[in-house]
């Protein structure tokens, strides 16, 4: 008999299934509450259900599918105590592996002002095994695409940390894979985690990061759950972006920016542009100026991220003074920015890095065709 992973089901689907066993509708609500509010990890724990129902549930369904096989914690965070980064490598039912990152940021409180920054407990989830976008600077991009994750495999990454008594405040789709290339499973996972009868994480607390799949961005703009959208820009002209984010050849910058503007208009939400800074490749003031003219007038925020080295020597972090000059140029054009300090580099917390470390891939196998003329 083929068992179903319970987190693959919506509440309506669970209710239908249980109804087919002759159970009244309220039983599905009870089970849903056990899974998403009480965070049960076995059917046996569901103490207000009749024993025979717990047995049927255990025969037909299963509750956990991810097996943690490696867990690493960022060392620098242990000393400061203000943030913690934990990364877990999970084995899936078919033996394939994915990674999930948990980030804890302590809130800040100022006497007289009150809470300046709220505490955040974020899970960064994967949506695919490997990735087909093949960005040359990204560790996952060097791994072949193997398969999409199911809804349940996405949901369970969040539940894993919630079951460890973390009060999850944010879920970001910035782990391995391209979430918009696994659209249906990703959206269903968001709906399940957003459900007011279950995990109840508000739509504002989800951020979906994409390399720029234009039709799916337009589709997302029409959904009833409106999540935060982050777009991996990394270059402000097509020639360079074709090399850094190869999907740009199919959906060039003009169409991507138009889709982002459409997303802003439809949802009323600000879009985040992620721009990884690579030394000598895309970090000049000239490029900052190009980026300014590309996004000027948009309701957006630019997140500048010094690259996390992945073993490919061609992509190294910018010099601090160049990163600062880049940021200043954008701010000069009234574009709001954040210059992120890289978190968790010591635990291979960049996209796909723990997995490739675990698989012991040779960095020399990583190919790259970027020409890095200084100042371009
Ligand atoms: N495919 C999606 C989501 C996964 S990657 C996307 O491209 O947005 C999540 C983010 O991590 C992206 O912005 C990606 O460009 C970034 N990333 C990948 N490799 C990185 C590296 N070596 N250093 C810093 N950020 C990296």
């Amino acid at each position: 008999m083929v068992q179903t992973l319970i987190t693959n089901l919506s509440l309506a689907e669970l209710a239908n299934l249980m109804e087919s066993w002759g159970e009244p509708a309220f039983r599905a609500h009870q089970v849903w509450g056990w899974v998403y509010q009480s965070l049960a990890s076995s059917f046996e724990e569901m103490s207000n259900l009749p024993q025979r129902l717990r047995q049927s549930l255990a025969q037909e369904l299963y509750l956990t599918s991810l097996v943690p096989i490696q867990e690493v914690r960022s060392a620098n965070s242990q000393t400061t105590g203000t943030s913690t980064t934990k990364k877990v490598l999970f084995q899936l039912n078919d033996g394939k592996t994915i990674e999930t990152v948990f980030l804890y940021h302590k809130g800040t409180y100022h006497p007289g002002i009150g809470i300046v920054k709220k505490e955040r407990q974020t899970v960064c989830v994967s949506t695919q095994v490997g990735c087909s976008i093949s960005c040359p600077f990204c560790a996952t991009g060097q791994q072949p695409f193997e398969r999409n994750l199911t809804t349940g495999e996405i949901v369970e990454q969040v539940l894993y940390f919630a079951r460890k008594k973390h009060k999850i405040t944010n879920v970001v789709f910035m782990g391995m894979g391209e979430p918009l290339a696994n659209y249906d499973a990703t959206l269903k996972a968001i709906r399940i985690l957003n459900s007011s009868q279950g995990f109840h994480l508000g739509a504002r607390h989800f951020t979906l990061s994409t390399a720029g799949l234009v039709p799916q961005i337009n589709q997302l703009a029409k959904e009833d759950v409106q999540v935060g959208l982050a777009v991996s820009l990394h270059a402000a002209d097509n020639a360079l972006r074709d090399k850094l984010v190869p999907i740009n050849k199919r959906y060039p910058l003009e169409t991507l920016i138009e889709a982002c503007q459409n997303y802003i208009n439809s949802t009323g939400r600000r879009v985040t542009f992620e721009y990884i800074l690579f030394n000598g490749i895309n970090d000049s003031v000239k490029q900052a100026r190009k980026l300014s003219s590309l996004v000027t007038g948009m309701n957006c925020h630019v997140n500048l991220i010094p690259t996390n080295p992945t073993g490919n020597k061609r992509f190294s972090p910018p010099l601090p003074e160049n990163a600062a000059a880049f940021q200043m140029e954008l701010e000069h054009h009234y574009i709001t920015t954040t210059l992120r300090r890289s978190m968790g580099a010591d635990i291979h917390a960049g996209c796909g890095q723990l997995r490739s470390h675990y698989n012991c891939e040779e960095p020399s196998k990583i190919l790259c065709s970027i020409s890095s003329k200084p100042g371009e």
Side-chain angles (χ1 to χ4, degrees):
M1 186 191 55
V2 181
Q3 286 181 307
T4 305
L5 179 60
I6 195 165
T7 44
N8 270 321
L9 304 177
S10 65
L11 177 55
E13 287 166 340
L14 180 66
N16 280 343
L17 178 70
M18 291 178 64
E19 206 180 284
S20 74
W21 306 342
E23 294 295 336
F26 76 92
R27 288 290 186 210
H29 283 85
Q30 280 181 313
V31 173
W32 193 258
W34 275 107
V35 176
Y36 294 105
Q37 287 172 357
S38 309
L39 302 165
S41 42
S42 74
F43 293 114
E44 217 25 64
E45 286 168 54
M46 303 183 179
S47 52
N48 60 353
L49 303 182
Q51 183 59 31
R52 58 158 181 80
L53 176 55
R54 279 185 259 166
Q55 279 166 358
S56 311
L57 285 165
Q59 269 164 20
E60 303 281 334
L61 301 165
Y62 60 107
L63 197 47
T64 56
S65 67
L66 303 181
V67 180
I69 53 174
Q70 198 178 346
E71 186 160 331
V72 267
R73 185 187 276 257
S74 175
N76 54 14
S77 61
Q78 284 169 342
T79 51
T80 63
T82 54
S83 61
T84 308
T85 310
K86 233 193 275 179
K87 187 162 189 165
V88 179
L89 187 71
F90 288 112
Q91 187 152 50
L92 308 173
N93 273 347
D94 57 3
K96 298 185 191 304
T97 54
I98 53 157
E99 53 189 50
T100 309
V101 182
F102 172 76
L103 304 121
Y104 169 81
H105 290 268
K106 200 173 172 181
T108 44
Y109 181 84
H110 189 282
I113 302 177
I115 295 174
V116 182
K117 217 171 178 187
K118 280 191 187 163
E119 178 188 277
R120 269 179 301 136
Q121 305 206 39
T122 304
V123 184
C124 174
V125 297
S126 293
T127 52
Q128 297 182 314
V129 184
C131 186
S132 55
I133 308 283
S134 304
C135 301
F137 53 84
C138 173
T140 307
Q142 312 314 310
Q143 301 163 13
F145 171 73
E146 293 185 55
R147 72 166 171 89
N148 281 331
L149 295 189
T150 65
T151 294
E153 287 166 339
I154 299 170
V155 167
E156 209 186 312
Q157 294 173 60
V158 179
L159 294 186
Y160 174 85
F161 290 100
R163 285 177 188 137
K164 293 197 172 296
K165 310 265 181 274
H166 295 301
K167 171 87 191 84
I168 307 304
T169 61
N170 295 79
V171 172
V172 297
F173 291 80
M174 296 185 181
M176 296 169 62
E178 169 52 49
L180 291 187
N182 186 11
Y183 191 93
D184 292 343
T186 298
L187 248 280
K188 190 172 174 185
I190 291 171
R191 285 183 205 287
I192 288 174
L193 292 167
N194 178 235
S195 157
S196 58
Q197 293 159 82
F199 199 72
H200 203 189
L201 187 67
R204 300 204 152 260
H205 299 264
F206 294 90
T207 303
L208 193 150
S209 178
T210 178
L213 273 63
V214 167
Q216 287 91 331
I217 293 174
N218 289 331
Q219 195 180 340
L220 192 66
K222 294 189 207 128
E223 300 287 351
D224 52 358
V225 268
Q226 294 182 332
V227 300
L229 180 69
V231 176
S232 295
L233 215 50
H234 310 330
D237 66 67
N238 283 321
L240 183 58
R241 195 164 188 274
D242 280 352
K243 292 176 182 169
L244 290 173
V245 189
I247 195 80
N248 193 68
K249 290 181 202 138
R250 183 144 19 127
Y251 306 116
L253 279 169
E254 308 75 64
T255 59
L256 176 58
I257 294 294
E258 193 185 319
C260 293
Q261 189 56 58
N262 174 40
Y263 194 84
I264 295 166
N265 296 345
S266 310
T267 62
R269 298 199 61 167
R270 185 175 83 165
V271 164
T272 299
F273 290 114
E274 294 160 283
Y275 193 101
I276 306 178
L277 291 165
F278 304 109
N279 184 25
I281 294 177
N282 67 350
D283 64 344
S284 69
V285 168
K286 191 174 156 196
Q287 274 146 337
R289 228 169 276 144
K290 272 193 201 170
L291 178 57
S292 303
S293 27
L294 193 66
V295 304
T296 194
M298 292 178 85
N299 181 14
C300 71
H301 183 87
V302 176
N303 229 344
L304 300 170
I305 310 155
T307 186
N308 238 332
T310 57
N312 186 338
K313 298 263 175 338
R314 305 195 74 161
F315 298 101
S316 56
L319 299 173
E321 58 271 31
N322 290 349
F326 195 99
Q327 183 179 30
M328 249 171 53
E329 184 62 28
L330 293 177
E331 304 244 311
H332 181 72
H333 289 90
Y334 305 104
I335 292 159
T336 63
T337 62
T338 311
L339 177 57
R340 207 200 283 171
R341 101 202 124 78
S342 204
M343 272 183 71
D346 57 324
I347 59 160
H348 311 285
C351 181
Q353 282 180 269
L354 179 64
R355 184 174 185 252
S356 43
H357 195 72
Y358 185 79
N359 291 341
C360 292
E361 282 183 9
E362 283 289 324
S364 57
K365 280 194 203 148
I366 297 172
L367 300 171
C368 163
S369 59
I370 301 291
S371 74
S372 54
K373 280 189 236 143
E376 266 299 294

